[in-house]
Amino acid sequence: MALDAPTLLTLTMTIAAAVAVYLASEWRLVRDRALLYWCAGFASITMGSGLSLLRVLGASFVGIWVANGLLVSAHLFFLFGVASFAGARLPLRWCAVALPWAALLLLPDGRMATLAYGLLNSGLVAALCFRAAELLRPRDGVVDVASEQLRLVLLGHGLFYLVKTMLVFAPGAFVDPAAFRGLLIPASLLEGVMVEVLIALSMTGTVRRRRETQIVQLAERDPLTGLFNRRAFDQRAAAMLESTSARRPAALLLIDVDRFKQVNDQHGHGAGDRLLVLLGDMLRTSVAEHALAARLGGDEFAILLGDTGRDAAVAAADTLRSRFAAKTDIATLSIGAALVDCPATISDMIDRADIALYAAKHGGRDRLHLTPAAAPQKLRAAA
């Protein structure tokens, strides 16, 4: 099969239509707005490729101007889809890229109009690709493989169109878009088919990867506070405690909301939930790189502090209690702390911190208690 312009356009149209249908079906499952934008982008490519075939019938306005306008629109949809995926707010002024394209209608037919079409078309596509690639740039050193693949594909696609922009005025580079003549036309169509496939695979890969990440997060996160649940906490704490030593001690703070049942009875369960969310937010914002926070269940929370001695643990607990007291007057916090300076199991530390929490509650509540060096038989903490 010869890779002439009509064949490449037909292939592009078929692939784009299939991808658009697939992305639409994916959107019905996950309702991700990025999928809608990308679906619209591939639908625009489908229509633009189909309209381009009308050039051979003499429909130059539709086959060239409208078809290439749809190509620009497709990349604009891709850009908004990337912005939605990346959680970025993209100014609507980006839609103004249609204005210079519309101005081409004022140019009389001829060589200069053809050059202007090529220059503006390639320049706009390149600019849109570069902006989309910039939005996908890794933040805080965290690299997502699927997103990075999409970023590199868009970057390469933008570079190709940037080179096309520079070649528009090169000697011998003039093309006849109405007759599909000129070296740049088949090169662009062939590159378009290859990049179309790569972009489709990368876009679906990024959404699939994020969905998998969300599933993992749902499995290990407490739905109310967003902190780790008990299972995820135990798994991560085990790794942290393996490196505990006299030079790098650790501390576990077991935190309980005083008279939580009474708060629910007097103020309603909504008030109780708000207290839990408040405490969860405080733990999340106070957690450093060497700390791990979780909601163990009910109104019981835990923070495992790595590389933390007695004085630092006491300071962290007192700061948390004072911050909580400043935010609400219907509840206080009791905290039990367990210190360790050698490798230990998280279950042992929770048992020891539970003993300290019992002592804090029965010592008057709204206080911190540390386990003694030799922990007595575990007692259950009062509600």
Side-chain angles (χ1 to χ4, degrees), residues 280-302:
D281 289 341
M282 288 184 177
L283 292 178
R284 187 183 302 104
T285 56
S286 63
V287 168
E289 292 183 0
H290 57 278
L292 182 67
R295 181 188 178 194
L296 303 185
D299 61 326
E300 192 171 70
F301 294 75

PDB file of all heavy atoms in Angstrom, residues 280-302:
ATOM      1  N   GLY A 280      -7.102  15.289  62.088  1.00  0.00           N
ATOM      2  CA  GLY A 280      -6.397  14.713  60.943  1.00  0.00           C
ATOM      3  C   GLY A 280      -5.611  15.757  60.170  1.00  0.00           C
ATOM      4  O   GLY A 280      -4.464  15.523  59.765  1.00  0.00           O
ATOM      5  N   ASP A 281      -6.209  16.923  59.977  1.00  0.00           N
ATOM      6  CA  ASP A 281      -5.509  18.010  59.272  1.00  0.00           C
ATOM      7  C   ASP A 281      -4.280  18.476  60.055  1.00  0.00           C
ATOM      8  O   ASP A 281      -3.231  18.766  59.466  1.00  0.00           O
ATOM      9  CB  ASP A 281      -6.454  19.190  59.048  1.00  0.00           C
ATOM     10  CG  ASP A 281      -7.529  18.890  58.005  1.00  0.00           C
ATOM     11  OD1 ASP A 281      -7.339  17.943  57.223  1.00  0.00           O
ATOM     12  OD2 ASP A 281      -8.549  19.601  57.985  1.00  0.00           O
ATOM     13  N   MET A 282      -4.412  18.554  61.363  1.00  0.00           N
ATOM     14  CA  MET A 282      -3.283  18.974  62.188  1.00  0.00           C
ATOM     15  C   MET A 282      -2.142  17.971  62.103  1.00  0.00           C
ATOM     16  O   MET A 282      -0.970  18.345  61.998  1.00  0.00           O
ATOM     17  CB  MET A 282      -3.725  19.135  63.646  1.00  0.00           C
ATOM     18  CG  MET A 282      -4.586  20.342  63.892  1.00  0.00           C
ATOM     19  SD  MET A 282      -4.981  20.520  65.645  1.00  0.00           S
ATOM     20  CE  MET A 282      -5.907  22.060  65.616  1.00  0.00           C
ATOM     21  N   LEU A 283      -2.479  16.697  62.141  1.00  0.00           N
ATOM     22  CA  LEU A 283      -1.445  15.673  62.046  1.00  0.00           C
ATOM     23  C   LEU A 283      -0.772  15.710  60.681  1.00  0.00           C
ATOM     24  O   LEU A 283       0.444  15.569  60.565  1.00  0.00           O
ATOM     25  CB  LEU A 283      -2.050  14.293  62.298  1.00  0.00           C
ATOM     26  CG  LEU A 283      -2.536  14.017  63.718  1.00  0.00           C
ATOM     27  CD1 LEU A 283      -3.154  12.634  63.806  1.00  0.00           C
ATOM     28  CD2 LEU A 283      -1.395  14.137  64.720  1.00  0.00           C
ATOM     29  N   ARG A 284      -1.576  15.905  59.630  1.00  0.00           N
ATOM     30  CA  ARG A 284      -1.027  15.917  58.283  1.00  0.00           C
ATOM     31  C   ARG A 284      -0.065  17.095  58.089  1.00  0.00           C
ATOM     32  O   ARG A 284       0.990  16.950  57.470  1.00  0.00           O
ATOM     33  CB  ARG A 284      -2.148  15.989  57.258  1.00  0.00           C
ATOM     34  CG  ARG A 284      -1.662  15.825  55.819  1.00  0.00           C
ATOM     35  CD  ARG A 284      -2.789  15.970  54.826  1.00  0.00           C
ATOM     36  NE  ARG A 284      -3.854  15.014  55.049  1.00  0.00           N
ATOM     37  CZ  ARG A 284      -5.028  15.278  55.612  1.00  0.00           C
ATOM     38  NH1 ARG A 284      -5.305  16.521  56.001  1.00  0.00           N
ATOM     39  NH2 ARG A 284      -5.926  14.351  55.780  1.00  0.00           N
ATOM     40  N   THR A 285      -0.430  18.259  58.592  1.00  0.00           N
ATOM     41  CA  THR A 285       0.412  19.444  58.401  1.00  0.00           C
ATOM     42  C   THR A 285       1.641  19.428  59.304  1.00  0.00           C
ATOM     43  O   THR A 285       2.614  20.123  59.020  1.00  0.00           O
ATOM     44  CB  THR A 285      -0.389  20.727  58.665  1.00  0.00           C
ATOM     45  OG1 THR A 285      -0.957  20.672  59.991  1.00  0.00           O
ATOM     46  CG2 THR A 285      -1.510  20.878  57.654  1.00  0.00           C
ATOM     47  N   SER A 286       1.591  18.649  60.383  1.00  0.00           N
ATOM     48  CA  SER A 286       2.723  18.628  61.308  1.00  0.00           C
ATOM     49  C   SER A 286       3.670  17.473  61.039  1.00  0.00           C
ATOM     50  O   SER A 286       4.735  17.384  61.651  1.00  0.00           O
ATOM     51  CB  SER A 286       2.219  18.534  62.759  1.00  0.00           C
ATOM     52  OG  SER A 286       1.517  17.317  62.970  1.00  0.00           O
ATOM     53  N   VAL A 287       3.289  16.578  60.131  1.00  0.00           N
ATOM     54  CA  VAL A 287       4.128  15.419  59.845  1.00  0.00           C
ATOM     55  C   VAL A 287       5.330  15.851  59.010  1.00  0.00           C
ATOM     56  O   VAL A 287       5.185  16.441  57.951  1.00  0.00           O
ATOM     57  CB  VAL A 287       3.326  14.336  59.096  1.00  0.00           C
ATOM     58  CG1 VAL A 287       4.267  13.263  58.547  1.00  0.00           C
ATOM     59  CG2 VAL A 287       2.315  13.699  60.024  1.00  0.00           C
ATOM     60  N   ALA A 288       6.526  15.541  59.493  1.00  0.00           N
ATOM     61  CA  ALA A 288       7.753  15.832  58.759  1.00  0.00           C
ATOM     62  C   ALA A 288       8.151  14.605  57.944  1.00  0.00           C
ATOM     63  O   ALA A 288       7.446  13.600  57.921  1.00  0.00           O
ATOM     64  CB  ALA A 288       8.861  16.217  59.747  1.00  0.00           C
ATOM     65  N   GLU A 289       9.294  14.707  57.278  1.00  0.00           N
ATOM     66  CA  GLU A 289       9.738  13.606  56.428  1.00  0.00           C
ATOM     67  C   GLU A 289       9.990  12.336  57.243  1.00  0.00           C
ATOM     68  O   GLU A 289       9.845  11.232  56.742  1.00  0.00           O
ATOM     69  CB  GLU A 289      11.024  13.999  55.693  1.00  0.00           C
ATOM     70  CG  GLU A 289      10.816  15.091  54.647  1.00  0.00           C
ATOM     71  CD  GLU A 289      12.094  15.402  53.905  1.00  0.00           C
ATOM     72  OE1 GLU A 289      13.118  14.760  54.222  1.00  0.00           O
ATOM     73  OE2 GLU A 289      12.070  16.282  53.030  1.00  0.00           O
ATOM     74  N   HIS A 290      10.380  12.485  58.499  1.00  0.00           N
ATOM     75  CA  HIS A 290      10.712  11.336  59.324  1.00  0.00           C
ATOM     76  C   HIS A 290       9.551  10.942  60.237  1.00  0.00           C
ATOM     77  O   HIS A 290       9.748  10.383  61.303  1.00  0.00           O
ATOM     78  CB  HIS A 290      11.958  11.636  60.167  1.00  0.00           C
ATOM     79  CG  HIS A 290      11.813  12.850  61.040  1.00  0.00           C
ATOM     80  ND1 HIS A 290      12.013  14.126  60.552  1.00  0.00           N
ATOM     81  CD2 HIS A 290      11.490  12.985  62.349  1.00  0.00           C
ATOM     82  CE1 HIS A 290      11.812  14.992  61.536  1.00  0.00           C
ATOM     83  NE2 HIS A 290      11.495  14.336  62.633  1.00  0.00           N
ATOM     84  N   ALA A 291       8.313  11.256  59.836  1.00  0.00           N
ATOM     85  CA  ALA A 291       7.156  10.936  60.658  1.00  0.00           C
ATOM     86  C   ALA A 291       6.069  10.266  59.820  1.00  0.00           C
ATOM     87  O   ALA A 291       6.026  10.405  58.602  1.00  0.00           O
ATOM     88  CB  ALA A 291       6.604  12.204  61.320  1.00  0.00           C
ATOM     89  N   LEU A 292       5.202   9.541  60.510  1.00  0.00           N
ATOM     90  CA  LEU A 292       4.126   8.802  59.857  1.00  0.00           C
ATOM     91  C   LEU A 292       2.875   8.954  60.704  1.00  0.00           C
ATOM     92  O   LEU A 292       2.892   8.654  61.904  1.00  0.00           O
ATOM     93  CB  LEU A 292       4.523   7.325  59.730  1.00  0.00           C
ATOM     94  CG  LEU A 292       3.556   6.371  59.036  1.00  0.00           C
ATOM     95  CD1 LEU A 292       3.444   6.732  57.556  1.00  0.00           C
ATOM     96  CD2 LEU A 292       4.032   4.942  59.200  1.00  0.00           C
ATOM     97  N   ALA A 293       1.772   9.426  60.098  1.00  0.00           N
ATOM     98  CA  ALA A 293       0.526   9.654  60.834  1.00  0.00           C
ATOM     99  C   ALA A 293      -0.576   8.772  60.292  1.00  0.00           C
ATOM    100  O   ALA A 293      -0.620   8.460  59.098  1.00  0.00           O
ATOM    101  CB  ALA A 293       0.114  11.128  60.745  1.00  0.00           C
ATOM    102  N   ALA A 294      -1.497   8.363  61.195  1.00  0.00           N
ATOM    103  CA  ALA A 294      -2.586   7.479  60.783  1.00  0.00           C
ATOM    104  C   ALA A 294      -3.763   7.614  61.739  1.00  0.00           C
ATOM    105  O   ALA A 294      -3.613   8.028  62.892  1.00  0.00           O
ATOM    106  CB  ALA A 294      -2.123   6.025  60.744  1.00  0.00           C
ATOM    107  N   ARG A 295      -4.941   7.271  61.227  1.00  0.00           N
ATOM    108  CA  ARG A 295      -6.109   7.095  62.083  1.00  0.00           C
ATOM    109  C   ARG A 295      -6.280   5.591  62.282  1.00  0.00           C
ATOM    110  O   ARG A 295      -6.555   4.854  61.335  1.00  0.00           O
ATOM    111  CB  ARG A 295      -7.357   7.694  61.433  1.00  0.00           C
ATOM    112  CG  ARG A 295      -8.607   7.554  62.306  1.00  0.00           C
ATOM    113  CD  ARG A 295      -9.861   7.970  61.564  1.00  0.00           C
ATOM    114  NE  ARG A 295     -11.062   7.795  62.383  1.00  0.00           N
ATOM    115  CZ  ARG A 295     -12.298   7.823  61.901  1.00  0.00           C
ATOM    116  NH1 ARG A 295     -12.500   7.999  60.595  1.00  0.00           N
ATOM    117  NH2 ARG A 295     -13.329   7.657  62.703  1.00  0.00           N
ATOM    118  N   LEU A 296      -6.102   5.127  63.517  1.00  0.00           N
ATOM    119  CA  LEU A 296      -6.143   3.700  63.790  1.00  0.00           C
ATOM    120  C   LEU A 296      -7.563   3.173  63.861  1.00  0.00           C
ATOM    121  O   LEU A 296      -7.807   1.983  63.646  1.00  0.00           O
ATOM    122  CB  LEU A 296      -5.401   3.387  65.096  1.00  0.00           C
ATOM    123  CG  LEU A 296      -3.931   3.838  65.144  1.00  0.00           C
ATOM    124  CD1 LEU A 296      -3.282   3.364  66.436  1.00  0.00           C
ATOM    125  CD2 LEU A 296      -3.162   3.331  63.938  1.00  0.00           C
ATOM    126  N   GLY A 297      -8.512   4.064  64.147  1.00  0.00           N
ATOM    127  CA  GLY A 297      -9.908   3.656  64.236  1.00  0.00           C
ATOM    128  C   GLY A 297     -10.641   4.517  65.248  1.00  0.00           C
ATOM    129  O   GLY A 297     -10.060   4.964  66.247  1.00  0.00           O
ATOM    130  N   GLY A 298     -11.923   4.762  65.012  1.00  0.00           N
ATOM    131  CA  GLY A 298     -12.692   5.586  65.941  1.00  0.00           C
ATOM    132  C   GLY A 298     -12.068   6.949  66.110  1.00  0.00           C
ATOM    133  O   GLY A 298     -11.792   7.664  65.145  1.00  0.00           O
ATOM    134  N   ASP A 299     -11.812   7.312  67.386  1.00  0.00           N
ATOM    135  CA  ASP A 299     -11.193   8.609  67.677  1.00  0.00           C
ATOM    136  C   ASP A 299      -9.735   8.437  68.092  1.00  0.00           C
ATOM    137  O   ASP A 299      -9.169   9.302  68.754  1.00  0.00           O
ATOM    138  CB  ASP A 299     -11.968   9.333  68.778  1.00  0.00           C
ATOM    139  CG  ASP A 299     -11.986   8.556  70.087  1.00  0.00           C
ATOM    140  OD1 ASP A 299     -12.023   7.310  70.027  1.00  0.00           O
ATOM    141  OD2 ASP A 299     -11.970   9.179  71.169  1.00  0.00           O
ATOM    142  N   GLU A 300      -9.123   7.333  67.680  1.00  0.00           N
ATOM    143  CA  GLU A 300      -7.744   7.059  68.048  1.00  0.00           C
ATOM    144  C   GLU A 300      -6.816   7.276  66.849  1.00  0.00           C
ATOM    145  O   GLU A 300      -7.020   6.688  65.782  1.00  0.00           O
ATOM    146  CB  GLU A 300      -7.611   5.629  68.568  1.00  0.00           C
ATOM    147  CG  GLU A 300      -6.275   5.359  69.234  1.00  0.00           C
ATOM    148  CD  GLU A 300      -6.244   4.021  69.938  1.00  0.00           C
ATOM    149  OE1 GLU A 300      -6.245   2.982  69.242  1.00  0.00           O
ATOM    150  OE2 GLU A 300      -6.249   4.008  71.184  1.00  0.00           O
ATOM    151  N   PHE A 301      -5.798   8.093  67.063  1.00  0.00           N
ATOM    152  CA  PHE A 301      -4.826   8.428  66.029  1.00  0.00           C
ATOM    153  C   PHE A 301      -3.425   8.088  66.520  1.00  0.00           C
ATOM    154  O   PHE A 301      -3.201   7.929  67.725  1.00  0.00           O
ATOM    155  CB  PHE A 301      -4.885   9.920  65.685  1.00  0.00           C
ATOM    156  CG  PHE A 301      -6.174  10.350  65.029  1.00  0.00           C
ATOM    157  CD1 PHE A 301      -7.344  10.479  65.762  1.00  0.00           C
ATOM    158  CD2 PHE A 301      -6.213  10.636  63.670  1.00  0.00           C
ATOM    159  CE1 PHE A 301      -8.532  10.882  65.152  1.00  0.00           C
ATOM    160  CE2 PHE A 301      -7.385  11.044  63.056  1.00  0.00           C
ATOM    161  CZ  PHE A 301      -8.556  11.160  63.803  1.00  0.00           C
ATOM    162  N   ALA A 302      -2.508   8.006  65.566  1.00  0.00           N
ATOM    163  CA  ALA A 302      -1.116   7.712  65.939  1.00  0.00           C
ATOM    164  C   ALA A 302      -0.168   8.494  65.053  1.00  0.00           C
ATOM    165  O   ALA A 302      -0.447   8.740  63.881  1.00  0.00           O
ATOM    166  CB  ALA A 302      -0.831   6.220  65.821  1.00  0.00           C
TER     167      ALA A 302
END
